[in-house]
């Protein structure tokens, strides 16, 4: 019996390979957040988004669309038929359909802008590949498309090398992990220093402005950041430096509970349940203000919020931006 991968995985993998983005977002769309900043294309330190925050609303919509369609139905066949035709012109109908449903594009795009502004306030200088920036390919590796990954990483490295950078600063821990542990095994002379956004902020946390917050916050540690990259105390140090009161969930740091994000593509309903349980767990700390430092955790936890729940879920970047002068 022939075993086929779920259609949603094929759609995402094909888009990464053909377009450099899981949802075939154009480079101009991925880089639109940076227009006002006029960042240089070359420099010692490369600011890398990988389009991960920017694409999340589209992925959520795509998953909802495909998982609610009967893959044996005429509607699904028509959708896939249209995809095959339109892909020849370089356009993804999944993106077209998903973008109609996406409601959070502006919010997720602004996370990248806010991250860059915080780093600039701390005195960092960096470049950005702009519309040439490609997704890291982390999903190809995580979903088992290893042969495709081996070819794809070469394209990503070419773009990075054109920047002339020696250090890559990743907003997403998924990108940092794949650059740090997987790329060196697939690409010769991948000698870049890999840093996370949290790393850089932590090193200059004494320069952060104090943030007036009337309520305490609780940290949801990203599994990639806490376990694979060993970064968790840094988040607490940063928040302490800006004057925030930090509460702790019962499951924290390396023992953090799952947000449900890793299975969102294949099992969205189960992901929703797991995300909801984690939100409850975090709120049991005594705080209703949840902070995380991963795009997928941010999205999954928001998806787990019960209707009418007053909890606030933010990325650490959004919280720190409050201290940036207008």
């Amino acid at each position: 019996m022939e075993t086929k991968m779920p259609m949603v995985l094929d759609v995402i993998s094909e888009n990464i390979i053909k377009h450099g983005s899981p949802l075939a977002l154009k480079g101009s769309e991925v880089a639109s957040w940076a227009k006002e900043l006029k960042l240089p294309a070359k420099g010692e330190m490369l600011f890398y988004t990988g389009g991960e925050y920017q694409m999340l609303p589209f992925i959520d919509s795509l998953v909802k669309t495909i998982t609610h369609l009967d893959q044996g139905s005429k509607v699904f066949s028509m959708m896939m038929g249209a995809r095959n035709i339109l892909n020849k012109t370089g356009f993804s109908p999944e993106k077209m359909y998903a973008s109609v449903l996406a409601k959070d594009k502006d919010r997720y795009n602004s996370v990248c802008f806010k991250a860059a502004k915080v780093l600039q306030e701390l005195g960092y200088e960096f470049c950005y590949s702009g519309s040439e920036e490609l997704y890291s390919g982390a999903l190809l590796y995580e979903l088992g498309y290893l042969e495709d990954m081996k070819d794809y990483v070469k394209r990503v490295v070419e773009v990075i090398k054109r920047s002339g950078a020696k250090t890559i600063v990743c907003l997403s821990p998924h990108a940092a992990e794949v650059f740090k542990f997987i790329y060196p095994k697939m690409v010769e002379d991948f000698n870049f220093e890999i840093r996370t956004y949290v790393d850089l902020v932590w090193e200059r946390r004494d320069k952060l402005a104090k943030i007036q917050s009337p309520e305490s916050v609780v940290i949801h540690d990203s599994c990639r950041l806490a376990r694979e990259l060993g970064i968790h105390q840094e988040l607490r140090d940063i928040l302490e430096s800006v004057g925030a009161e930090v509460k702790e969930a019962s499951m924290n740091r390396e023992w953090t509970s799952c947000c449900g994000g890793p299975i969102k593509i294949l099992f969205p309903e189960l992901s929703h349940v797991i995300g909801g349980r984690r939100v409850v767990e975090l709120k049991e700390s005594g705080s209703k203000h949840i902070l995380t430092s991963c795009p997928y955790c941010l999205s999954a936890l928001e998806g787990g919020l019960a209707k009418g729940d007053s909890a606030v879920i933010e990325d650490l970047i959004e919280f720190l931006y409050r201290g940036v002068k207008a």
Side-chain angles (χ1 to χ4, degrees):
M1 180 181 293
E2 182 183 358
T3 302
K4 293 185 178 181
M5 295 293 282
M7 181 61 71
V8 67
L9 300 190
D10 282 339
V11 169
I12 288 175
S13 65
E14 286 177 18
N15 278 335
I16 294 172
I17 295 164
K18 292 181 179 180
H19 307 293
S21 165
L23 262 294
L25 296 181
K26 294 179 180 178
S28 58
E29 293 173 301
V30 171
S32 62
W33 64 270
K35 287 181 180 178
E36 294 179 26
L37 299 178
K38 298 181 180 178
L39 299 173
K42 293 187 177 183
E44 291 283 311
M45 181 181 290
L46 176 66
F47 185 88
Y48 182 81
T49 76
E52 294 190 59
Y53 279 96
Q54 301 94 308
M55 74 182 177
L56 280 182
F58 297 99
I59 283 186
D60 287 346
S61 297
L62 174 62
V63 169
K64 289 176 184 177
T65 300
I66 291 185
T67 54
H68 285 85
L69 281 176
D70 177 2
Q71 295 196 18
S73 70
K74 291 183 179 180
V75 173
F76 190 84
S77 296
M78 289 173 63
M79 182 178 175
M80 291 301 104
R83 179 171 69 87
N84 291 333
I85 292 172
L86 292 177
N87 267 346
K88 294 178 181 178
T89 67
F91 185 80
S92 164
E94 284 83 23
K95 176 195 147 189
M96 175 182 67
Y97 194 89
S99 65
V100 174
L101 303 178
K103 298 178 181 178
D104 300 317
K105 287 189 294 182
D106 291 342
R107 188 256 179 111
Y108 283 105
N109 268 319
S110 74
V111 172
C112 300
F113 174 85
K114 292 174 180 178
K117 290 293 289 184
V118 170
L119 291 184
Q120 288 179 332
E121 284 286 312
L122 295 178
Y124 287 106
E125 294 183 359
F126 46 87
C127 62
Y128 176 56
S129 298
S131 60
E132 291 189 358
E133 184 182 58
L134 297 175
Y135 171 66
S136 70
L139 279 173
L140 287 178
Y141 181 79
E142 292 169 4
L143 298 174
Y145 293 87
L146 301 185
E147 292 304 313
D148 292 325
M149 179 70 170
K150 289 177 183 177
D151 292 329
Y152 180 75
V153 297
K154 298 174 185 176
R155 293 167 51 197
V156 179
V157 172
E158 285 179 8
V159 174
I160 293 173
K161 285 184 175 179
R162 283 200 290 271
S163 72
K166 296 178 181 178
T167 300
I168 305 172
V169 180
C170 303
L171 288 196
S172 167
H174 286 255
E177 181 193 21
V178 77
F179 281 150
K180 191 168 186 176
F181 301 119
I182 306 305
Y183 269 57
K185 297 177 182 179
M186 294 185 168
V187 182
E188 290 185 12
D189 301 321
F190 189 79
N191 300 318
F192 299 94
E193 180 186 21
I194 308 303
R195 307 292 301 277
T196 67
Y197 172 81
V198 176
D199 278 333
L200 266 62
V201 173
W202 180 80
E203 287 186 354
R204 299 186 182 181
R205 62 190 182 281
D206 58 318
K207 295 183 178 182
L208 288 167
K210 296 294 182 182
I211 296 174
Q212 299 299 321
S213 179
E215 55 186 6
S216 61
V217 298
V218 58
I219 298 169
H220 166 73
D221 292 286
S222 154
C223 60
R224 290 287 190 269
L225 200 60
R227 296 191 186 118
E228 277 67 37
L229 297 170
I231 296 173
H232 44 78
Q233 181 58 42
E234 291 87 340
L235 296 167
R236 291 151 177 84
D237 292 344
I238 290 168
L239 290 169
E240 181 181 344
S241 71
V242 300
E245 178 188 358
V246 180
K247 301 285 188 179
E248 292 287 359
S250 57
M251 301 297 287
N252 59 59
R253 301 175 187 258
E254 299 99 325
W255 296 99
T256 182
S257 293
C258 184
C259 65
I263 62 170
K264 195 168 190 175
I265 293 174
L266 288 175
F267 307 106
E269 290 85 2
L270 181 57
S271 173
H272 178 78
V273 171
I274 294 173
R277 288 178 179 175
R278 180 56 173 164
V279 169
V280 170
E281 195 172 80
L282 290 163
K283 288 168 59 180
E284 287 175 349
S285 68
S287 174
K288 286 188 174 184
H289 194 162
I290 300 167
L291 299 179
T292 190
S293 192
C294 169
Y296 305 106
C297 291
L298 180 63
S299 177
L301 291 173
E302 289 194 326
L305 272 178
K307 194 172 184 179
D309 194 326
S310 60
V312 175
I313 300 175
E314 284 187 305
D315 194 280
L316 174 69
I317 293 166
E318 296 174 294
F319 185 77
L320 295 180
Y321 184 72
R322 298 180 186 186
V324 174
K325 296 177 181 178

